[in-house]
Amino acid sequence: MLPTLFELSRSGKRAVKFPKAAMHSSAKIPAKLLRRQNPSLPELTELDVVRHFTLASQMNYSVDTQFYPLGSCTMKYNPKANFHWALHPAFAGAHPLWPSWAVQGTLESLAGLEEGLAAITGMDAVTLAPAAGAHAELVGILVAGAFYQDKGQAAKRRKIIIPDSAHGTNPASAALGGFEVVTIKSTARGRIDVLQLKKVLDDTTAMVMITVPNTLGLFEDDVLEVSRLAHNAGAQMYMDGANMNALMGIVKPASLGFDMMHINLHKTFSVPHGGGGPGAGVLLVRRHLEEYLPVPRLIRRPANQNGELSILDAHPKSIGRIRAFHGSTGNLLWAASYLALLGRDGVFQASRDAIVNANYLRRLLQDAGLTPYSDEPCMHEAVFTIDPKKLNGVRTLDIAKRLLDFGFYAPTVYFPLIVPEAMMVEPTETESPETLEQFANAVKTILSEAASDPQKVKDAPHALPVRRLDDVLAARNPVVTYQVS
Ligand SMILES: Cc1ncc(COP(=O)(O)O)c(C=O)c1O
């Protein structure tokens, strides 16, 4: 294990020597606020610090070094050019309180992102402000609530219908928005059950909320009929578009009948995520919902008033502010750069390659004896299921842990919830066929170990500094401090 900076500390070592202050700070600071003791900070040379953090970074597992076979998370390689542009001093040095005339370049980039996302989805208006996918869902639900309020239907339309193949954040957001959640079971083909939908859809329905492709990695092939039925009942259609990595340049959600949707920039549009870092959700709506969007919004002045972008800070029908300024501007600029680099053909190719890769892996693991959930081709991610009875009691979790010994990050397991012993992989467009073959070979080896030496798989990992953890104990009784011995 790497020693901490505190363990490496030796009294008197310094990386930086500060000049003596001209005036003693205590002259201005009230006595009761002054420290009685010096803070306990590690004392190190610059080289100690550089080596410590460089070694720590080498212990990291990252998409820049290895394959991240997580499903549902779109852990794809984030091109460095985007990072470079987002960090340009003209962007990074701007202050959010500067007047709009002083930040036209930043606002133009954000407007370009809005226009690009609207073109990809067919939607009419955009807010870039939500902090993440789930936040955008909540904002969408509040927007729908404001729309019904305006139409005098808020008291009646209290129900949001969500299939059980939707992402878990969908029912959570609907409940948080104050609506009643009605769940409908999927068909044996993993698709929305239209007969079930018809039974629960009525004039108390505010919204039908669908994840497309759904969490099984499957396209909802009855979506046009679902939209028709929902609209006939006077309900709004919401698309969880966090899986847009499968659809860019292929189909526009607006043409499927959706009234609003969100996109996770930190999945599809190459903004890095993971480890709880900042994300960026984007909510897109059709024209009839635009006036309810949160503020601030970007507004372009007419050409005869110089065509500049300005900021709309209030609108009588808006749901108001949901976040400071325009959202995670650094992330938004990163996505704007990604979109500009890819262009129309590039986004189509990204989605097409993501689908080809997922289906290639699906076939490789099908041949390796890992039964896919569905015999049908998938979209951008493939779901597998195993039968522990046929594998000497080896479970999906054991396979995931053993994969760590082979140098792979663990895939998503036990999700989607409706598939027993689920394992889900989203290779994304950025992985090569060779990487997918190496991954499939590792799974194949583990399956043969399950036949010959199941305990080896059940006890994995063997090659990591830390062996199998008690996840439940760690979650229930977290120890978040480190004691120097
Ligand atoms: C389909 C889907 N919907 C919603 C979300 C929620 O997004 P976030 O984690 O940014 O809140 C995710 C997250 O991965 C997702 O995959």
Side-chain angles (χ1 to χ4, degrees):
M1 294 294 268
L2 200 61
T4 66
L5 289 177
F6 289 90
E7 286 164 316
L8 293 172
S9 171
R10 294 291 174 272
S11 169
K13 283 195 178 187
R14 287 288 178 276
V16 181
K17 288 205 171 73
F18 293 102
K20 272 222 163 327
M23 178 180 54
H24 199 270
S25 55
S26 59
K28 286 208 164 159
I29 300 173
K32 65 173 184 200
L33 297 179
L34 286 177
R35 285 182 177 280
R36 295 190 217 311
Q37 280 176 334
N38 283 337
S40 158
L41 296 174
E43 298 176 66
L44 300 144
T45 66
E46 178 174 330
L47 184 57
D48 292 334
V49 177
V50 168
R51 289 216 173 122
H52 174 81
F53 284 110
T54 307
L55 285 171
S57 74
Q58 287 167 352
M59 293 173 78
N60 241 357
Y61 193 102
S62 86
V63 86
D64 285 355
T65 54
Q66 282 124 314
F67 176 37
Y68 247 99
L70 283 177
S72 182
C73 290
T74 319
M75 296 297 287
K76 61 189 194 183
Y77 172 72
N78 307 304
K80 300 292 172 266
N82 307 323
F83 184 48
H84 173 79
W85 284 115
L87 276 189
H88 190 284
F91 292 131
H95 192 281
L97 288 175
W98 282 359
S100 56
W101 60 259
V103 284
Q104 282 297 304
T106 302
L107 299 185
E108 281 294 346
S109 303
L110 299 183
L113 176 63
E114 287 190 359
E115 282 157 24
L117 296 177
I120 290 171
T121 58
M123 294 283 159
D124 300 310
V126 186
T127 172
L128 302 174
H135 192 202
E137 290 166 21
L138 178 64
V139 173
I141 284 161
L142 297 177
V143 164
F147 169 79
Y148 286 124
Q149 188 75 38
D150 205 19
K151 305 285 171 235
Q153 298 179 26
K156 183 170 75 167
R157 295 198 181 265
R158 299 306 319 147
K159 178 165 98 179
I160 296 188
I161 302 174
I162 306 177
D164 62 0
S165 60
H167 195 261
T169 49
N170 297 183
S173 303
L176 199 61
F179 287 86
E180 179 204 343
V181 178
V182 177
T183 308
I184 48 174
K185 279 202 176 309
S186 302
T187 62
R189 285 182 60 239
R191 305 308 208 287
I192 196 165
D193 188 333
V194 177
L195 289 178
Q196 288 296 319
L197 176 70
K198 280 183 184 162
K199 282 189 194 151
V200 290
L201 191 65
D202 56 22
D203 65 357
T204 67
T205 308
M207 189 186 269
V208 178
M209 198 172 186
I210 311 181
T211 304
V212 187
N214 66 26
T215 55
L216 298 164
L218 301 173
F219 188 76
E220 290 290 354
D221 34 23
D222 278 329
V223 62
L224 286 174
E225 174 63 357
V226 172
S227 294
R228 192 185 65 78
L229 291 168
H231 287 151
N232 283 350
Q236 302 297 303
M237 283 286 288
Y238 186 104
M239 177 171 131
D240 176 339
N243 291 336
M244 201 62 202
N245 218 55
L247 303 181
M248 291 185 297
I250 298 174
V251 64
K252 296 185 183 200
S255 65
L256 299 176
F258 287 102
D259 301 292
M260 59 170 105
M261 65 174 294
H262 79 265
I263 291 178
N264 284 18
L265 295 185
H266 47 292
K267 289 178 58 172
T268 310
F269 289 89
S270 127
V271 172
H273 66 123
V282 172
L283 181 75
L284 303 106
V285 300
R286 300 306 307 268
R287 194 64 73 204
H288 64 285
L289 296 169
E290 180 175 7
E291 53 190 348
Y292 309 98
L293 284 177
V295 287
R297 296 202 50 222
L298 290 175
I299 301 292
R300 191 176 293 283
R301 293 214 181 97
N304 62 2
Q305 289 173 36
N306 75 13
E308 273 190 3
L309 284 158
S310 63
I311 293 166
L312 178 77
D313 262 325
H315 186 282
K317 293 195 177 172
S318 162
I319 62 165
R321 264 173 205 274
I322 53 151
R323 201 151 176 245
F325 308 105
H326 295 282
S328 306
T329 306
N331 279 352
L332 299 174
L333 292 167
W334 183 303
S337 162
Y338 177 74
L339 201 51
L341 284 179
L342 252 62
R344 184 192 294 259
D345 295 342
V347 291
F348 167 64
Q349 193 185 335
S351 281
R352 193 194 55 179
D353 292 354
I355 295 171
V356 169
N357 265 357
N359 280 287
Y360 184 47
L361 187 71
R362 191 179 144 270
R363 288 307 302 265
L364 289 173
L365 289 185
Q366 188 172 18
D367 296 347
L370 211 69
T371 330
Y373 169 71
S374 157
D375 283 343
E376 294 178 54
C378 56
M379 295 292 286
H380 64 310
E381 54 195 353
V383 177
F384 304 90
T385 168
I386 65 155
D387 183 354
K389 288 200 278 316
K390 294 188 187 150
L391 288 175
N392 292 319
V394 165
R395 300 190 57 197
T396 298
L397 180 70
D398 304 318
I399 297 176
K401 294 285 185 194
R402 184 73 179 121
L403 274 166
L404 305 179
D405 287 332
F406 287 80
F408 290 104
Y409 198 83
T412 295
V413 291
Y414 301 102
F415 181 84
L417 302 176
I418 53 178
V419 177
E421 295 293 325
M423 178 167 123
M424 182 184 210
V425 185
E426 180 181 0
T428 78
E429 69 278 14
T430 54
E431 294 301 336
S432 66
E434 292 77 22
T435 303
L436 302 185
E437 285 153 13
Q438 283 160 11
F439 178 75
N441 285 340
V443 174
K444 238 184 245 185
T445 307
I446 297 169
L447 291 174
S448 55
E449 285 175 349
S452 60
D453 186 1
Q455 205 53 43
K456 188 173 186 181
V457 184
K458 290 178 190 174
D459 291 343
H462 302 277
L464 301 189
V466 178
R467 301 290 302 273
R468 178 100 45 131
L469 298 174
D470 184 339
D471 301 345
V472 176
L473 183 69
R476 291 211 173 131
N477 189 16
V479 179
V480 292
T481 52
Y482 178 79
Q483 297 294 327
V484 180
S485 51

